[in-house]
Amino acid sequence: MSGKRRVQYQASRNFVNGKFKYPVETPINYTAKALIPILRDYIKGNPKIRPKEKLPVQPITIPASKEEINKAGVTWLGHSTSLILLDGHLLLLDPIFEPYSSPLRFGGRRYSGQLPIEIEDLPQIDAVLISHDHYDHLDYRSIRRLKDKVRTFHVPLGVGSHLERWGVAPEKIVELDWWMEAGFEGLKFRCTPAKHSSGRGVFKQNTTLWCSWIIEGKHTKIFYSGDSGYGPHFKEIGNRYGPFDLTLIEAGQYDNSGWWPLHMQPEETVQAHIELQGNILLPVHWGAFTLSTHDWDEPIERVLKAAAANNVVLTTPRIGETVEIGASEVPSAPWWRDMT
């Protein structure tokens, strides 16, 4: 660890006894009573854990005209990767462009088989925002392919060390603690709390920070949850910085038994959106990879039901379909039902 990072870590209220932690104690139930049913589910398997056929994608091209590019829009690429056009800037959230979500190249292949756009077809990216260093959010191969097209990387504390080892110039990296912000050509990127963890492998768990992000333009505010369990930080963020025009909140890859409280149930996704004072909810962290034992489309069905019960405006774009913020209508077709 560099001297500069050591000073940053020690100054962080979230860094305690050599580890980062969420301020509210979050015990994880590792008892046999909690773990045996989960192990049983993995051994038994689930025939609906993946779609029966490859998910279709909507190919995208980056708009060329100034009129088009100044529209605020979010294009979901599957899982948590999203492309954002805001105030003439092109941003990427947690870019995973590989066919797998882990360093192991067996199982867990991307549902769609392809992406709406490949790295080679992307123009210059003004900023990449990364929420944490788990493999399904920070991918070595994707970063190596992207790094020369990206002007800046905004990351939580410590994540920059990965990027530097992978060849990203240090001057391109901005590391932030929770509640810190960085300006970028009229935009504001605020690093905000999340209830999760970090680490790439068994060792050095929670030695880098994880976060959510607020992306603010001249007239538009977007919230991205990263990975997070449900907690009081959503209401605090909403009270400080809400309302939000659009929220991207994780909704999938949870455990139904509740033993792993660092991801949300879909109903909690909707509740978090309400507490954030969000207008439109775009559920993410589903539709690309199998990381749990639930049906592949269960997250979106449960979010759909909870959103209807709470009068929440939900958008359900196809992979590659753009949600234009401020438009009179947003994509809302239950397209995944054609895949089951």
Side-chain angles (χ1 to χ4, degrees), residues 222-244:
I222 297 169
F223 174 82
Y224 168 50
S225 69
D227 279 2
S228 180
Y230 179 73
H233 61 280
F234 289 116
K235 183 171 286 187
E236 185 175 7
I237 293 167
N239 289 340
R240 285 198 190 196
Y241 296 114
F244 294 95

Side-chain angles (χ1 to χ4, degrees), residues 29-86:
N29 188 353
Y30 286 110
T31 65
K33 184 178 180 180
L35 295 178
I36 287 174
I38 298 167
L39 181 61
R40 188 184 301 125
D41 285 344
Y42 273 103
I43 294 172
K44 181 181 177 182
N46 177 3
K48 296 183 179 180
I49 205 168
R50 292 179 59 87
K52 293 180 181 178
E53 55 190 278
K54 288 183 179 180
L55 299 189
V57 301
Q58 184 166 311
I60 61 174
T61 55
I62 303 302
S65 75
K66 194 71 173 178
E67 181 181 352
E68 284 181 300
I69 208 167
N70 277 336
K71 293 178 180 177
V74 177
T75 305
W76 180 54
L77 304 185
H79 201 57
S80 292
T81 303
S82 296
L83 190 63
I84 298 177
L85 282 168
L86 184 60

